[in-house]
Amino acid sequence: MSMSLTDAVKIPETVVEDVIRVRRDLHAHPELGFEEVRTAGIVAARLRTLGYEVREKVGRTGVVGIMRSGRPGRTVLLRADMDALPLTEESGVPFASREPGKMHACGHDGHVAILLGAADMLARLRDEVCGTLVLCFQPAEEGRGGAAAMIADGVLDEPHVDAVYGLHLWSEHLAGMVLTRPGPMMASSDTIEVTIIGRGGHGAQPHRTVDPILTAASVVQALQTVVSRRVDPLEPAVVTIGSLVSGTAHNVIPQTARLLGTVRTFDESLRNEMPKFIEDVVAGCCAAAGASYELDYRRVYGVTRNDAGEAAYVRSLAASLLGPQRVAEQPKIMGSEDFSFFLERCPGCFFFVGAGKPEESSPPHHSPQFTIDESALATGVQMMVALGLDAPRRPSPRNGRSPSGSRNGLP
Ligand SMILES: [Zn+2]
Ligand SMILES: [Zn+2]
């Protein structure tokens, strides 16, 4: 590069202000998964203005911006997810959601604003870019697998992507920190839906019924023995029942009860065993009560597993830009991410950018009070610009050669 990477990723104040403006506008107008029409329109228009080749409706509401530098180098995908969550905002910020029942409570508004800010910077620095950049604005991360939809529509194939990077603003860490880890970082996430079918009747004559509520209660309790008694204690796993719905009146034993739950693991063979462990419990409890059941077990997201070399690269890149005191190893967490679909097909790294405020403990992601420290946005832009400039210069594992004087992320 003709200028140093550290100089290149100094983000002008006007760009930072624009990123904050875009984030607040998206925050006020949240859209749920696969409904991100307004957001996608803003993204596509902006990418076109900046001179990117734009593809719309990739994975339904996804948008892709491509920059082909014409210089040798890897094809690098940078990803931002765009969807909001179905809850009503109570954060009290002046740019709070104008849509009751919809809120950017995970920070994806910030992810879109960051990647658009990086798109702006990378367009200004076009003469420094090598290889090909694929800026990927993904729909429906929150449980609906927008990443898989974009992959099915070819986002990794045309052009063929060599490496993928994605970030998540994370309010548990102080704003400006960058954290990642090699190997597994976030858990797999699968869902269970159980309908317990009893026989309804009078609340005063339980002996003439099969009580699905009591059966459901024993299922909820007994499911906790899956993790405590069937899973290796050294292996992380979670079984949570998040919904139990049954009945309508004080004195009526209902016909059915319905349970919804989530199952988290890190180990693929354990992930494959969990459906049997869970069905054993459901079947046993129902048999004891004389009830029957229907069990729907769905594999949703796999483990988010970073390539070890790419994770080390992102750490060293962050340390060279921000200073080593702003970089740390991210512990494994039981949350999940559909960036895992990209990482299953392509080496890369998912990392967190701290977005917590120093003076207060930040409300958790997915809470109606969720907020971010907006100073994190500039850090996110810096990281994405640095990756856009430097990651294409890294040697491709396929040919083992450095395309054009890779500095391996070190200044
Ligand atoms: Zn989320
Ligand atoms: Zn999220």
Side-chain angles (χ1 to χ4, degrees):
M1 289 175 73
S2 55
M3 67 171 83
S4 87
L5 191 59
T6 321
D7 286 340
V9 299
K10 288 206 173 100
I11 314 295
E13 202 47 46
T14 51
V15 174
V16 175
E17 282 163 13
D18 192 52
V19 169
I20 291 172
R21 185 190 59 74
V22 169
R23 181 256 161 172
R24 292 182 176 189
D25 174 66
L26 296 173
H27 193 85
H29 301 97
E31 295 173 299
L32 301 180
F34 292 127
E35 297 173 5
E36 305 92 335
V37 175
R38 179 182 183 274
T39 309
I42 290 168
V43 168
R46 186 70 186 279
L47 291 173
R48 266 195 200 98
T49 305
L50 293 169
Y52 287 83
E53 175 187 328
V54 176
R55 292 189 192 149
E56 292 177 84
K57 300 195 167 85
V58 182
R60 296 166 67 179
T61 43
V63 182
V64 181
I66 299 171
M67 182 194 289
R68 300 172 203 268
S69 74
R71 286 175 284 274
R74 298 196 299 174
T75 296
V76 165
L77 180 143
L78 306 176
R79 174 268 211 170
D81 44 5
M82 304 191 287
D83 56 322
L85 284 156
L87 65 147
T88 296
E89 180 155 4
E90 297 169 17
S91 72
V93 297
F95 48 89
S97 171
R98 296 184 197 166
E99 306 283 338
K102 298 178 193 176
M103 176 186 175
H104 269 296
C106 201
H108 300 184
D109 50 341
H111 302 171
V112 174
I114 285 169
L115 195 54
L116 282 179
D120 183 352
M121 289 298 298
L122 290 163
R124 295 169 192 231
L125 296 163
R126 172 177 279 276
D127 291 345
E128 309 284 344
V129 173
C130 292
T132 299
L133 299 178
V134 177
L135 307 187
C136 172
F137 294 83
Q138 180 210 302
E141 189 283 325
E142 298 283 2
R144 301 191 60 199
M150 291 194 86
I151 292 167
D153 276 359
V155 74
L156 292 176
D157 305 322
E158 297 161 30
H160 178 85
V161 171
D162 299 306
V164 294
Y165 303 94
L167 64 74
H168 208 301
L169 294 167
W170 208 247
S171 69
E172 286 174 37
H173 301 306
L174 278 182
M177 293 289 294
V178 170
L179 302 94
T180 189
R181 66 180 293 115
M185 184 162 101
M186 298 176 79
S188 65
S189 168
D190 299 323
T191 60
I192 46 180
E193 183 172 334
V194 185
T195 305
I196 293 166
I197 303 146
R199 194 171 62 245
H202 202 293
Q205 294 179 310
H207 59 293
R208 297 183 63 189
T209 73
V210 173
D211 183 350
I213 293 182
L214 187 60
T215 312
S218 70
V219 167
V220 173
Q221 294 256 12
L223 280 176
Q224 295 310 306
T225 65
V226 169
V227 172
S228 68
R229 287 298 175 268
R230 298 201 70 174
V231 175
D232 181 338
L234 296 177
E235 189 57 48
V238 172
V239 176
T240 289
I241 296 298
S243 171
L244 194 178
V245 177
S246 181
T248 53
H250 293 81
N251 55 355
V252 176
I253 291 175
Q255 198 75 20
T256 62
R258 191 159 163 267
L259 309 173
L260 303 178
T262 185
V263 179
R264 307 294 171 106
T265 58
F266 268 99
D267 180 78
E268 190 61 22
S269 66
L270 174 60
R271 187 186 186 198
N272 293 333
E273 285 181 303
M274 289 302 261
K276 179 181 178 338
F277 290 166
I278 283 163
E279 182 148 21
D280 284 352
V281 165
V282 174
C285 292
C286 287
S292 57
Y293 68 91
E294 287 161 7
L295 171 59
D296 185 15
Y297 195 106
R298 281 190 197 192
R299 291 166 69 89
V300 184
Y301 293 167
V303 170
T304 302
R305 187 183 307 276
N306 287 330
D307 178 86
E310 293 290 350
Y313 164 63
V314 167
R315 278 193 67 153
S316 76
L317 188 70
S320 70
L321 290 179
L322 310 170
Q325 73 286 353
R326 281 174 60 188
V327 182
E329 173 115 335
Q330 171 61 39
K332 285 183 195 171
I333 60 169
M334 299 309 286
S336 67
E337 238 306 326
D338 81 343
F339 196 70
S340 55
F341 288 113
F342 292 116
L343 290 172
E344 280 166 11
R345 283 161 187 81
C346 193
C349 178
F350 192 65
F351 58 97
F352 288 156
V353 172
K357 296 173 183 169
E359 69 278 14
E360 51 196 274
S361 78
S362 302
H365 289 253
H366 294 204
S367 121
Q369 283 92 28
F370 177 75
T371 55
I372 60 164
D373 182 331
E374 286 180 325
S375 71
L377 299 171
T379 308
V381 176
Q382 283 182 300
M383 284 300 297
M384 286 306 202
V385 173
L387 286 166
L389 292 174
D390 195 64
R393 298 162 189 261
R394 283 184 33 92
S396 167
R398 236 166 264 114
N399 58 24
R401 279 188 302 108
S402 168
S404 74
S406 167
R407 300 167 319 123
N408 289 320
L410 295 168

